[in-house]
Amino acid sequence: MRGQAGFWDIDERYVRLSEAGDPLEKLNAVVPWEVFRKPLGKALKRSDGAKGGRPPYDPVMMFKIMVLQALYGLSDDQAEFQIQDRLSFMRFLGLGLGDRVPDAKTIWLFREHLTQAGAVDNLFARFDKHLGKAGYLAMGGQIVDATIVAAPKQRNTDAEKTDIKASTVPDEWKKKPTKLRQKDRDARWTVKFSKAKVAEEGKAQQRDIAIPAFGYKNHASIDRRHGFIRGWNVTSASAYDGAQLRNVLNRGNTGSTVWADTAYRSKKNEEWLEKNGYVSDIHQKKPKGRQMSEATSRANGRRSKTRAFVEHVFAQQKSRMGLFVRTIGIARARTKIGMANLAYNLTRFVWHEGRTASA
């Protein structure tokens, strides 16, 4: 039988992880984690320890656990297990083999404290400020879009659905507090339409499809120059995209042009953009009952080439990061989605810094 792993055995494993290109090591080396300490401390308001008890975990380390959850789509239980199991996670968090690992309940409580304090907005803004200092100013205009973030489906009766839409609690749920705590009254159903492309000559025309979805929406804008998320908001999945335009635009962008799909084009939005010094390059809608002109179609095609960059952001969040809202209520969903937006910016920052270093 082999003996227990010694110091040099673990050290050799870390070396091999580095040689294999551990992405978390790069993230640790590039991101200035200490910039988050002040907003974290303000949100948590830790006691001075005079009452005794076990000292709390370092808030920056706990915050990095939330980053891991956002990057790898981990639940609290999965995060606890993976930190125990993976050397790369332990090294990322600065934990040794003999150190205590936060359990799932501790992770949940930490995130809950941040949610109650509304801290995710300050954390996001703090890193955006660092991006500016590092030379990544919001430039080139803004690209706006929204994506549905799924949540666990609710199995409710028609009467319960009516009460929820009216912002009232069903009488049956009031009698069962435990059941009420498990019901998400903020998430909504919506239908996502996918229009089929025009079939090539000789091929069968595909049909348009409508896909029902339940959950929330991540409304976001990215700057065209660097591709960082600069503004965002969270609503239920049924919220109208166009109404969120002014809530996600970043006034600090040095460019004035705004790109978005037809959901954002309205007389009200166009007037607001012009009044606030923006230049609209939003997709034109097809005239009712008439064919779209060739010039408008070409213009929309040009816009699509630019607008596609924001789709790449959402694709990474959903495919690589496995973005999914497991929590209940829009306040917690905002923390979850806000952390996904922040985690995306962290990885984007590492990518930009890597390009600069290689150049």
Side-chain angles (χ1 to χ4, degrees):
M1 292 179 64
R2 294 185 60 186
Q4 289 185 338
F7 172 80
W8 297 111
D9 297 316
I10 299 299
D11 196 49
E12 183 181 351
R13 290 284 298 278
Y14 281 139
V15 170
R16 293 181 66 181
L17 278 172
S18 299
E19 291 174 348
D22 179 8
L24 293 178
E25 185 179 30
K26 296 177 183 177
L27 192 64
N28 241 355
V30 174
V31 175
W33 297 104
E34 285 301 311
V35 303
F36 298 108
R37 186 172 295 280
K38 187 174 180 179
L40 286 170
K42 184 178 180 181
L44 296 169
K45 297 178 182 177
R46 300 291 195 191
S47 68
D48 59 5
K51 295 182 180 180
R54 178 177 288 180
Y57 289 99
D58 178 66
V60 175
M61 188 268 284
M62 293 298 298
F63 171 71
K64 290 169 75 173
I65 291 177
M66 291 181 61
V67 172
L68 286 176
Q69 289 183 290
L71 289 175
Y72 296 97
L74 301 174
S75 67
D76 296 336
D77 289 316
Q78 290 170 339
E80 178 187 353
F81 175 80
Q82 293 292 349
I83 295 167
Q84 296 271 17
D85 186 61
R86 297 174 67 168
L87 284 176
S88 59
F89 278 25
M90 292 177 65
R91 178 167 67 172
F92 176 70
L93 299 173
L95 295 173
L97 291 176
D99 292 330
R100 287 188 304 126
V101 172
D103 59 21
K105 181 65 173 179
T106 301
I107 298 170
W108 182 88
L109 282 172
F110 180 82
R111 186 176 58 253
E112 191 72 2
H113 287 318
L114 295 186
T115 298
Q116 292 170 1
V120 70
D121 295 88
N122 289 335
L123 292 165
F124 185 92
R126 184 62 191 85
F127 188 66
D128 190 64
K129 185 178 180 180
H130 170 76
L131 289 176
K133 289 181 178 179
Y136 300 102
L137 296 173
M139 302 169 65
Q142 308 180 64
I143 311 171
V144 180
D145 206 352
T147 189
I148 297 170
V149 181
K153 297 179 178 64
Q154 304 284 295
R155 307 298 179 184
N156 301 322
T157 64
D158 290 340
E160 289 170 343
K161 291 176 183 177
T162 301
D163 286 338
I164 292 170
K165 289 179 180 179
S167 299
T168 59
V169 179
D171 292 335
E172 191 64 27
W173 294 3
K174 294 177 182 177
K175 302 173 186 177
K176 300 177 181 179
T178 304
K179 181 177 183 178
L180 179 59
R181 285 195 296 269
Q182 299 302 316
K183 289 294 185 178
D184 193 335
R185 289 170 285 154
D186 295 325
R188 292 288 186 272
W189 282 98
T190 189
V191 177
K192 184 177 181 181
F193 294 96
S194 180
K195 195 168 182 62
K197 294 181 179 179
V198 178
E200 297 178 10
E201 190 175 347
K203 292 187 177 180
Q205 175 63 48
Q206 296 181 338
R207 295 183 178 181
D208 299 346
I209 58 175
I211 305 171
F214 181 81
Y216 296 90
K217 266 186 185 177
N218 182 14
H219 305 264
S221 68
I222 67 170
D223 68 292
R224 187 185 182 190
R225 176 66 180 84
H226 299 112
F228 288 108
I229 298 173
R230 301 291 184 170
W232 59 278
N233 195 26
V234 175
T235 66
S236 70
S238 63
Y240 177 55
D241 294 356
Q244 296 301 316
L245 180 65
R246 65 189 66 186
N247 295 330
V248 300
L249 288 179
N250 176 255
R251 293 184 179 275
N253 197 298
T254 60
S256 58
T257 308
V258 175
W259 291 267
D261 63 27
T262 55
Y264 295 87
R265 180 171 281 279
S266 67
K267 183 179 179 181
K268 187 176 180 180
N269 279 347
E270 293 297 306
E271 290 175 350
W272 184 87
L273 289 171
E274 184 177 0
K275 182 180 178 181
N276 287 273
Y278 293 107
V279 176
S280 173
D281 207 2
I282 298 175
H283 272 53
Q284 293 277 359
K285 296 179 180 179
K286 178 183 173 297
K288 212 168 188 179
R290 293 184 289 123
Q291 287 288 335
M292 182 179 287
S293 69
E294 187 177 339
T296 302
S297 181
R298 283 199 305 268
N300 279 349
R302 171 185 56 77
R303 295 177 180 118
S304 292
K305 291 179 181 179
T306 298
R307 200 180 63 79
F309 288 109
V310 74
E311 298 289 352
H312 300 166
V313 176
F314 296 143
Q316 179 166 330
Q317 288 183 329
K318 289 186 174 183
S319 59
R320 295 184 183 179
M321 297 166 61
L323 180 56
F324 181 85
V325 174
R326 295 181 176 88
T327 54
I328 295 172
I330 195 166
R332 291 168 179 160
R334 184 174 183 84
T335 296
K336 174 73 176 182
I337 295 171
M339 281 302 303
N341 290 337
L342 177 52
Y344 172 82
N345 278 359
L346 294 174
T347 57
R348 183 78 179 173
F349 178 58
V350 172
W351 180 78
H352 274 296
E353 290 291 281
R355 285 206 317 166
T356 305
S358 59

